[in-house]
Amino acid sequence: MNRDVSTSLDMTGEETPPLEKLRGDALAQITGAADERALEEVRVRFLGRSGSVSEWGEKMKSLPKAEKPIVGKLLNEVRRAITEALDARTQEFRTNQESAALESIDISLPGTPHERGTLHPLTQILDRAIGIFRRMGFALAEGPDVETEWHCFDALNTAPDHPARNEQDTFFLPDGRVLRTHTSTVQIRTMESAPPPIRVIAPGAAFRRDEVDATHSAQFHQIEGLYVDEGVSVADLKGTLEFFLRELFGADSQVRFRPHYFPFTEPSFEIDVKSKALKGGEKWLEVCGCGMVHPAVFEEVNKVRKDQAYDPEKWSGFAFGLGMDRLAMILFGVPDLRLFAGNDLRFLKQFA
Ligand code: PHE
């Protein structure tokens, strides 16, 4: 006689004891389940609330005391066997699904590399410049590239016969408008739209019919600045621009103010910088035009504003126009500004 507990437990008198048969049926149906849905049905049939295994749990209650632990142990074994078989079969389905999905992909192929871009050197210098001026309380202003002749010249106290208006220097559009020759147009637009005090910078493109060479281009970039308040003096102008240039180029760069002439400022200056980064620091490079806002500019603005907001007796101010491309030449030691527009990756990658 087989002494195995399971076989000795014959409650119905059938040849195969019912719990053994239950296990055999369950395992056969699990193996035979065609998909996860069929498998779930098998699980409910055997392990569900009113499934066969649960029914056995009920039956146990009416068994003689002596048999309860034996049947209980066997029932636990059967339940565990069915549960494990269900888990294994589920895993099998999932693995098959995954490998079917992967069949259409060759995971051994090399991927598509993503090149990391870098900011253009002019964008880098712009970000740094904005950062420095922002610390000094300057806000950002802007104006259009295509401008009226009035904003570009008349409002800036530039006489009708001034050489800058000449076709040689300025791009004229058929409708009489111009591509702005400097960002000083934004001085006027800012004052038209708001009363003093004013403290703005306006970075942007400017256009001139210049011969293109290492330091000149038909399109270049400027950072305009305008500061109008009570009691603004040349000392403020010098202090602000010296601070800016030292912050940008370092304390060992040299800065020089030269008297100059602009119709819209009086007195006017040009600023030169000498820095080791450019040609070993042996040459001055002009980077900025600036000066104290001419009273005639305030008066012109008052005329279009139709008020006396910019009373030259009360307010004074300074303005400047920094050549951004030249600042970048100095900071990055680039000897020719044409490189900035050349779109040559070998050049651009050096500013990563
Ligand atoms: N607009 C002048 C130029 O482009 C520079 C400048 C700006 C000068 C503001 C004085 C004040 O050369």
Side-chain angles (χ1 to χ4, degrees):
M1 182 178 168
N2 195 329
R3 297 185 60 84
D4 183 55
V5 176
S6 58
T7 46
S8 67
L9 197 91
D10 186 347
M11 304 186 65
T12 59
E14 285 170 16
E15 288 231 333
T16 312
L19 266 177
E20 278 305 311
K21 185 169 182 320
L22 185 69
R23 167 161 43 194
D25 286 353
L27 296 185
Q29 287 183 36
I30 289 168
T31 315
D35 53 28
E36 280 196 72
R37 249 185 67 194
L39 194 63
E40 173 62 10
E41 280 166 19
V42 176
R43 190 191 66 78
V44 172
R45 196 171 305 135
F46 287 94
L47 298 183
R49 198 180 285 260
S50 49
S52 322
V53 174
S54 315
E55 270 170 19
W56 264 92
E58 285 298 311
K59 269 188 216 168
M60 248 183 61
K61 290 179 186 163
S62 52
L63 285 180
K65 232 185 174 167
E67 287 181 16
K68 273 189 189 172
I70 307 167
V71 178
K73 183 170 175 251
L74 183 61
L75 190 57
N76 279 341
E77 264 177 41
V78 170
R79 186 186 288 117
R80 197 178 53 228
I82 297 176
T83 307
E84 279 171 7
L86 281 168
D87 287 349
R89 189 78 172 122
T90 305
Q91 201 50 53
E92 212 178 306
F93 284 135
R94 303 258 156 100
T95 312
N96 288 348
Q97 265 172 20
E98 270 171 30
S99 38
L102 280 176
E103 244 161 47
S104 53
I105 306 168
D106 182 352
I107 57 167
S108 67
L109 279 177
T112 314
H114 289 276
E115 276 218 49
R116 238 181 114 169
T118 62
L119 290 178
H120 190 280
L122 288 180
T123 307
Q124 293 185 30
I125 200 116
L126 178 61
D127 288 349
R128 288 170 75 152
I130 291 175
I132 298 170
F133 280 117
R134 191 163 272 167
R135 278 194 277 141
M136 291 191 276
F138 282 80
L140 279 173
E142 60 179 4
D145 290 357
V146 177
E147 262 294 6
T148 64
E149 224 185 314
W150 184 82
H151 281 96
C152 204
F153 301 117
D154 303 85
L156 287 159
N157 195 34
T158 307
D161 57 356
H162 192 278
R165 299 199 188 207
N166 198 298
E167 294 248 2
Q168 302 293 308
D169 293 342
T170 306
F171 291 105
F172 281 88
L173 273 70
D175 66 5
R177 287 182 301 166
V178 300
L179 294 185
R180 65 179 178 192
T181 55
H182 51 187
T183 46
S184 298
T185 52
V186 188
Q187 288 184 37
I188 303 302
R189 288 188 173 270
T190 306
M191 290 190 282
E192 274 182 279
S193 62
I198 294 282
R199 203 188 302 181
V200 293
I201 52 166
F207 310 84
R208 284 179 206 172
R209 299 182 58 154
D210 271 339
E211 268 319 314
V212 176
D213 64 24
T215 50
H216 295 85
S217 161
Q219 183 192 327
F220 55 103
H221 303 85
Q222 293 188 321
I223 302 173
E224 191 75 16
L226 176 67
Y227 191 148
V228 182
D229 208 330
E230 287 180 74
V232 178
S233 71
V234 174
D236 299 311
L237 163 71
K238 271 197 87 182
T240 303
L241 287 168
E242 271 176 1
F243 177 81
F244 170 76
L245 294 167
R246 293 259 148 75
E247 282 293 293
L248 192 62
F249 296 130
D252 55 354
S253 59
Q254 284 172 271
V255 177
R256 156 176 104 178
F257 286 71
R258 263 185 301 108
H260 197 71
Y261 171 79
F262 295 103
F264 37 94
T265 47
E266 177 59 32
S268 304
F269 311 91
E270 277 193 330
I271 306 176
D272 305 325
V273 172
K274 217 190 224 185
S275 171
K276 286 229 169 56
L278 190 71
K279 300 195 168 149
E282 35 176 273
K283 268 175 88 175
W284 292 102
L285 187 65
E286 185 243 307
V287 296
C288 184
C290 57
M292 302 306 291
V293 180
H294 199 292
V297 174
F298 285 151
E299 295 293 8
E300 202 63 26
V301 167
N302 285 335
K303 253 190 254 168
V304 291
R305 289 180 57 93
K306 299 191 176 70
D307 64 15
Q308 273 298 114
Y310 287 87
D311 178 357
E313 296 299 320
K314 180 172 182 203
W315 304 96
S316 57
F318 65 77
F320 56 87
L322 287 153
M324 233 161 69
D325 312 72
R326 291 192 177 175
L327 296 180
M329 285 175 72
I330 297 173
L331 189 67
F332 297 121
V334 173
D336 190 327
L337 60 66
R338 283 169 290 195
L339 287 162
F340 291 130
N343 211 17
D344 186 332
L345 282 180
R346 291 167 304 177
F347 171 72
L348 295 172
K349 276 184 174 166
Q350 298 174 53
F351 304 95

